[in-house]
């Protein structure tokens, strides 16, 4: 009998100890489900299942991926790549088109010599402003090149003095301004007279509203202008086209002065007749 009592007491102590360990364990277990293990130390609001956590995370990831794939505003990477490639091809086509268009613009020749311009205010010293009829620059199709028949100038001081003396002579003799649009000196510089916006002042020359008159400072009947003058004339023609003040299909002329020798400016024109756009000499009674 005593042995039975001893066994019952021992068994009761074992059950009590087992119950006590479950009560004090941080993990609680419920008989309702083998999956309901909870972390008691996490608090009442953070009861997180400890079992099958990995499976739940993978399921949530697959669910989010499905939502992203089914989103109507999402752009597929392949479609995005095709759009970028198409945009690049379009830009490349525009660049090639502009390049081919530039190639079709006719130029007088490749110009390696820079263009030097002295504008009118740099040498103008008169109280009366230059007044001349406005030139329709969109209609300028011709360029007449003359030589001044005077001494040349090889530096800016002498070239500026020539322009000032010419303006003074024109104003005192006939109350008019210097007749050239531009003059080119032996220093390789272009000097603005009437410029691109005004008609030339040679009444005996044709096409006042369609022509620019350029004077080469010096007498070039028996001798050639300096190489820098020819180079500057080329640069001037190219610059005039760039400024849209001269058509790319312009005509280049010289002028024959009936009051001078028949070979007036012969050395100059013998060279110019080899240039592109040369169309011969025009007649003039007096230049």
């Amino acid at each position: 009998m005593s042995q039975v009592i001893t066994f019952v007491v021992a068994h009761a102590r074992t059950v009590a100890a087992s119950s006590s360990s479950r009560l004090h364990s941080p993990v609680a277990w419920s008989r309702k489900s083998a999956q309901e293990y909870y972390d008691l130390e996490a608090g009442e609001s953070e009861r997180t299942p400890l079992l099958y956590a990995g499976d739940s995370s993978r399921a949530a990831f697959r669910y989010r991926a499905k939502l992203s794939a089914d989103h109507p505003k999402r752009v597929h990477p392949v479609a995005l790549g095709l759009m970028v490639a198409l945009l690049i091809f379009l830009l490349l086509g525009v660049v090639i088109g502009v390049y081919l268009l530039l190639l079709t613009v006719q130029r007088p020749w490749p110009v390696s010599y820079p263009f030097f311009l002295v504008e009118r205010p740099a040498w103008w010293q008169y109280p009366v402003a230059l007044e001349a009829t406005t030139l329709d620059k969109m209609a300028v199709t011709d360029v007449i090149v003359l030589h001044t028949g005077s001494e040349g100038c090889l530096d800016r001081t002498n070239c500026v003095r020539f322009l000032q003396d010419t303006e003074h002579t024109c104003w005192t003799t006939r109350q008019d301004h210097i007749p050239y649009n531009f003059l080119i000196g032996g220093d390789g510089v272009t000097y603005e007279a009437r410029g691109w916006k005004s008609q030339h002042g040679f009444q005996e020359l044709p096409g006042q509203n369609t022509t620019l008159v350029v004077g080469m400072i010096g007498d070039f009947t028996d001798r050639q202008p300096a190489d820098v003058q020819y180079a500057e004339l080329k640069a001037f023609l190219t610059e005039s086209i760039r400024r849209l003040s001269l058509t790319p299909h312009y005509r280049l002329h010289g002028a024959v002065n009936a009051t001078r020798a028949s070979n007036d400016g012969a050395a100059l024109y013998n060279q110019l007749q080899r240039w592109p756009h040369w169309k011969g000499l025009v007649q003039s009674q007096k230049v």
Side-chain angles (χ1 to χ4, degrees):
M1 185 65 180
S2 61
Q3 294 179 350
V4 173
I5 294 173
T6 302
F7 174 77
V8 171
V9 172
H11 181 69
R13 289 179 178 177
T14 302
V15 172
S18 176
S19 300
S20 176
S21 64
R22 285 198 300 270
L23 290 175
H24 291 86
S25 173
V27 177
W29 176 78
S30 173
R31 290 181 179 273
K32 295 181 180 180
S33 173
Q35 301 178 5
E36 295 184 2
Y37 282 90
Y38 294 99
D39 187 354
L40 297 179
E41 294 180 353
E44 183 177 355
S45 61
E46 299 180 2
R47 298 182 65 189
T48 305
L50 299 180
L51 297 180
Y52 304 101
D55 293 341
S56 300
S57 299
R58 286 193 293 271
F61 176 78
R62 287 195 296 269
Y63 179 72
R64 287 194 298 268
K66 184 177 183 301
L67 288 180
S68 299
D70 296 339
H71 198 283
K73 295 184 179 180
R74 182 175 179 271
V75 180
H76 196 278
V78 176
L80 181 61
L82 290 176
M83 287 189 292
V84 172
L86 180 60
L87 180 61
I88 293 175
F89 279 119
L90 288 176
L91 292 177
L92 183 61
V94 171
V95 172
I96 294 176
V98 172
Y99 175 74
L100 294 177
L101 180 62
L102 292 177
L103 290 180
T104 61
V105 177
Q106 184 179 2
R107 298 183 180 182
W109 41 71
V111 175
S112 58
Y113 190 79
F115 177 66
F116 297 103
L117 177 65
V118 174
E119 297 181 339
R120 187 187 312 113
W123 64 269
W124 191 266
Q125 59 177 6
Y126 308 99
V128 180
L130 189 147
E131 296 180 359
T133 305
T134 301
L135 177 67
D136 182 6
K137 69 176 185 178
M138 300 304 295
V140 176
T141 56
D142 297 270
V143 177
I144 297 177
V145 180
L146 310 174
H147 73 143
T148 60
S150 61
E151 292 185 2
C153 61
L154 300 178
D155 55 67
R156 182 166 301 186
T157 300
N158 289 324
C159 291
V160 166
R161 184 180 297 115
F162 173 82
L163 269 75
Q164 292 172 343
D165 292 345
T166 303
E167 169 63 23
H168 177 73
T169 301
C170 292
W171 186 256
T172 55
T173 57
R174 60 176 187 268
Q175 295 293 299
D176 198 4
H177 295 288
I178 186 170
Y180 301 92
N181 292 98
F182 295 90
L183 289 120
I184 298 177
D187 56 350
V189 175
T190 299
Y191 294 87
E192 181 186 23
R194 296 195 174 204
W196 283 289
K197 297 182 179 180
S198 300
Q199 296 181 5
H200 68 77
F202 294 98
Q203 300 298 326
E204 299 81 8
L205 291 178
Q208 282 189 294
N209 196 43
T210 61
T211 304
L212 293 174
V213 175
V214 181
M216 305 285 277
I217 301 177
D219 189 340
F220 304 116
T221 298
D222 300 319
R223 67 181 182 88
Q224 292 284 342
D227 291 340
V228 292
Q229 280 182 282
Y230 281 129
E232 182 66 10
L233 177 58
K234 294 178 181 180
F236 165 77
L237 294 171
T238 302
E239 178 67 14
S240 298
I241 295 173
R242 189 190 70 82
R243 291 177 179 237
L244 303 179
S245 296
L246 179 65
T247 175
H249 306 285
Y250 68 92
R251 297 183 293 265
L252 186 63
H253 303 276
V256 176
N257 190 342
T259 64
R260 298 182 182 179
S262 59
N263 65 338
D264 182 54
L268 171 64
Y269 298 140
N270 286 339
Q271 177 65 28
L272 292 184
Q273 68 184 359
R274 305 172 188 174
W275 287 21
H277 304 273
W278 175 257
K279 298 300 180 182
L281 302 173
V282 296
Q283 296 294 325
S284 171
Q285 295 298 318
K286 181 181 179 181
V287 177

